[in-house]
Amino acid sequence: MNKTVPGPEDAIKDIKDGMTLMLGGFGLCGIPENCITALVKKGVKGLTCISNNAGVDDFGIGLMLKQRQVKKMISSYVGENAEFERQLLSGELEVELIPQGTLATRCLASGYGMPAIFTPAGVGTEVAEGKEVRNFNGKEYLLEYAFDADFAIVKAWKGDTHGNLIYKETARNFNPMMAMGGKITIAEVEHLVPAGELDPDHIHTPGIYVHRIFQGKNYEKRIEQRTVRKK
Amino acid sequence: MLDKEGIAKRIAKEVKNGYYVNLGIGIPTLVANYIPKDLDVILQSENGLLGMGPFPFEGEEDPDLINAGKQTITTLPGSAFFDSAMSFGMIRARKVDLTILGAMEVSDTGDIANWKIPGKMVKGMGGAMDLVASAKNIIVAMQHVNKAGESKLLPKCTLPLTGVKCVKKIVTELAVLDVTDKGFRLLERAPGISVEQIKNATKGKLVVEGEIPEMKID
């Protein structure tokens, strides 16, 4: 079951204008850098992007925002991006802010084949407006629906030709459940190995969820907040 | 009156042995510096880590290892990584013993507002709504009054809410207070601050019973 494609251009070749994409990562950590570059080059427009954050001005999803490729962002926090702010205030960009755990679990529900979840996050706030509220054991919960994404694009540390994935440290974040949640899932990895080389006990995302995989190049892995202590 | 470090030091005294703790951005992050070394406490970072350690030494930063504030960090022995769904799963299932976060306003019924100011650029709630909706115990680190001297401890929040009836304890530059059925209950005064000053700075219902001790922070 060889799922390898030569590179990001081949992996994203059938992503079209107006599609909905899940993009893995938390801040700039664990983002699919190669696919984002390829999407910018391809110039697809009118995209709805489900991603915890929206990158920074000159990196990550920020690069797609700059080219006006994004119609709508579905995120939990979009703080660090001046171009994002400008497009939002001018009405060029639509944004739906949802609680981070709700975002993660709605992705998970897609990959688990469940249409919806109940969560207490947002009860009594504007997030609850227009949503069904259900009481379980004396506590209120909101009904939130699974996402319906055309493509999920994730970044892993290691992967094999069957599409099995292993993530590294906190670069795991949203990648596993987005990998599970896409109708078609593209994985870019730092190290691609033949099937059989990864220990089956160590796989985080089983290859059944992954349709295309390639070894990425020139990872920049930019750090958003470099904090250190003195020796 | 306490400075930010003082608020963090006082909150650190609420952390008990064996606790799993989630620290928000800002003053709550400083609390980690004052948790007594002899306590067995594990810090959760909601981007997918239990066992968060201090910032790395210069030159040892790892871009794949950050906290929820996107700062480079380290792990401690016995750490575990997991994905964001599991992270909020353990928060929702009340496995995290204590959540410490900042607030712009708190009401005397325990409502909290800390994510949005109408008319200003909204950055998003991040994980705050999930945390406040599910946490077993929430301590808020905040300023008692705003720059104009107006109380941020109110009968009702004026800003869009993050969560309702969830705050248990508040530590400000002036006081330590519990949120009870009868409103804010004054527990301690900051060094040099009188009960009268706290009353004047609290717009929500304030219960003052007996002698209010001055807080002890080393």
Side-chain angles (χ1 to χ4, degrees):
Chain A
M1 193 85 67
N2 189 347
K3 300 186 178 165
T4 53
V5 292
E9 294 80 13
D10 309 277
I12 65 148
K13 64 179 188 304
D14 45 358
I15 293 184
K16 297 190 173 68
D17 290 354
M19 282 187 164
T20 297
L21 315 180
M22 286 176 174
L23 291 134
F26 184 95
L28 301 178
C29 182
I31 59 171
E33 295 183 17
N34 282 234
C35 283
I36 289 173
T37 304
L39 284 166
V40 170
K41 209 167 128 198
K42 185 175 161 80
V44 275
K45 288 193 161 50
L47 300 171
T48 295
C49 293
I50 303 165
S51 186
N52 189 54
N53 312 95
V56 295
D57 274 324
D58 58 349
F59 203 56
I61 295 175
L63 296 170
M64 291 161 68
L65 286 164
K66 207 186 257 174
Q67 303 298 320
R68 316 257 178 104
Q69 294 175 272
V70 183
K71 180 184 72 181
K72 182 177 180 181
M73 277 304 310
I74 300 176
S75 305
S76 85
Y77 190 85
V78 292
E80 342 290 350
N81 194 319
E83 177 62 16
F84 182 97
E85 186 169 346
R86 192 197 64 71
Q87 289 185 21
L88 182 63
L89 295 174
S90 70
E92 292 164 62
L93 179 69
E94 205 183 321
V95 63
E96 186 181 344
L97 292 167
I98 57 182
Q100 200 173 125
T102 303
L103 182 71
T105 314
R106 287 176 66 187
C107 294
L108 191 76
S110 312
Y112 271 33
M114 300 186 300
I117 57 153
F118 283 101
T119 176
V123 168
T125 76
E126 63 182 50
V127 165
E129 283 167 19
K131 288 178 185 162
E132 184 182 334
V133 179
R134 188 87 71 85
N135 191 304
F136 294 98
N137 305 316
K139 190 174 160 101
E140 291 187 327
Y141 295 80
L142 299 182
L143 177 70
E144 298 274 10
Y145 293 99
F147 285 119
D148 184 19
D150 298 299
F151 281 83
I153 305 175
V154 303
K155 153 82 195 313
W157 179 41
K158 288 180 181 172
D160 70 17
T161 49
H162 281 191
N164 294 306
L165 302 177
I166 296 174
Y167 308 91
K168 187 162 176 259
E169 302 168 336
T170 55
R172 191 182 316 185
N173 56 63
F174 281 82
N175 284 300
M177 55 272 186
M178 286 188 170
M180 293 163 64
K183 281 199 202 74
I184 297 175
T185 292
I186 299 165
E188 58 174 85
V189 298
E190 288 176 60
H191 306 282
L192 182 63
V193 300
E197 280 199 17
L198 300 177
D199 183 340
D201 263 335
H202 292 171
I203 304 297
H204 295 133
T205 298
I208 192 167
Y209 284 114
V210 176
H211 304 85
R212 301 169 193 171
I213 188 167
F214 67 92
Q215 182 162 312
K217 275 191 272 199
N218 308 321
Y219 281 103
E220 204 175 318
K221 294 197 182 184
R222 221 183 271 188
I223 292 174
E224 233 169 302
Q225 307 280 342
R226 187 179 299 274
T227 45
V228 294
R229 66 189 148 135
K230 289 260 182 291
K231 266 192 186 156
Chain B
M1 196 185 302
L2 299 179
D3 57 8
K4 285 179 180 177
E5 299 286 337
I7 294 174
K9 277 185 195 173
R10 177 59 192 81
I11 292 177
K13 294 178 74 173
E14 301 294 321
V15 177
K16 304 280 189 298
N17 196 42
Y19 268 15
Y20 287 95
V21 182
N22 180 289
L23 301 176
I25 293 161
I27 298 175
T29 305
L30 300 174
V31 173
N33 301 332
Y34 301 110
I35 297 171
K37 296 275 180 287
D38 56 328
L39 292 189
D40 204 358
V41 169
I42 294 180
L43 299 180
Q44 197 244 20
S45 190
E46 68 266 25
N47 57 319
L49 168 63
L50 277 166
M52 179 167 54
F55 295 150
F57 290 120
E58 227 167 318
E60 294 177 9
E61 308 93 295
D62 176 353
D64 290 325
L65 184 49
I66 61 169
N67 63 17
K70 287 136 193 161
Q71 298 171 311
T72 46
I73 48 156
T74 56
T75 55
L76 294 174
S79 287
F81 294 114
F82 36 85
D83 64 52
S84 302
M86 186 179 283
S87 182
F88 285 95
M90 64 185 73
I91 287 165
R92 234 179 272 120
R94 297 163 79 94
K95 306 296 179 187
V96 177
D97 299 287
L98 176 62
T99 294
I100 302 170
L101 74 174
M104 300 179 210
E105 292 178 348
V106 168
S107 81
D108 59 21
T109 55
D111 295 353
I112 178 171
N114 74 352
W115 77 284
K116 184 176 183 180
I117 301 175
K120 286 204 177 166
M121 168 67 186
V122 183
K123 295 185 169 190
M125 66 291 279
M129 284 195 182
D130 308 271
L131 281 158
V132 301
S134 299
K136 262 197 263 190
N137 190 6
I138 299 176
I139 301 180
V140 166
M142 68 186 290
Q143 298 299 317
H144 213 109
V145 293
N146 65 19
K147 282 182 187 134
E150 295 159 341
S151 180
K152 295 163 79 168
L153 278 66
L154 303 167
K156 197 172 188 297
C157 293
T158 63
L159 296 170
L161 294 178
T162 308
V164 294
K165 293 192 179 81
C166 54
V167 176
K168 300 281 194 293
K169 192 182 281 286
I170 303 161
V171 179
T172 75
E173 75 279 20
L174 303 180
V176 180
L177 312 101
D178 266 354
V179 179
T180 69
D181 295 344
K182 291 174 189 148
F184 300 116
R185 189 161 69 95
L186 183 58
L187 300 176
E188 296 173 20
R189 297 173 289 115
I193 299 295
S194 69
V195 170
E196 212 46 44
Q197 282 173 294
I198 296 164
K199 277 184 181 167
N200 290 337
T202 309
K203 209 170 163 195
K205 256 183 278 169
L206 181 68
V207 178
V208 183
E209 285 168 347
E211 200 65 25
I212 304 299
E214 192 171 282
M215 62 179 88
K216 291 186 179 65
I217 44 171
D218 337 297

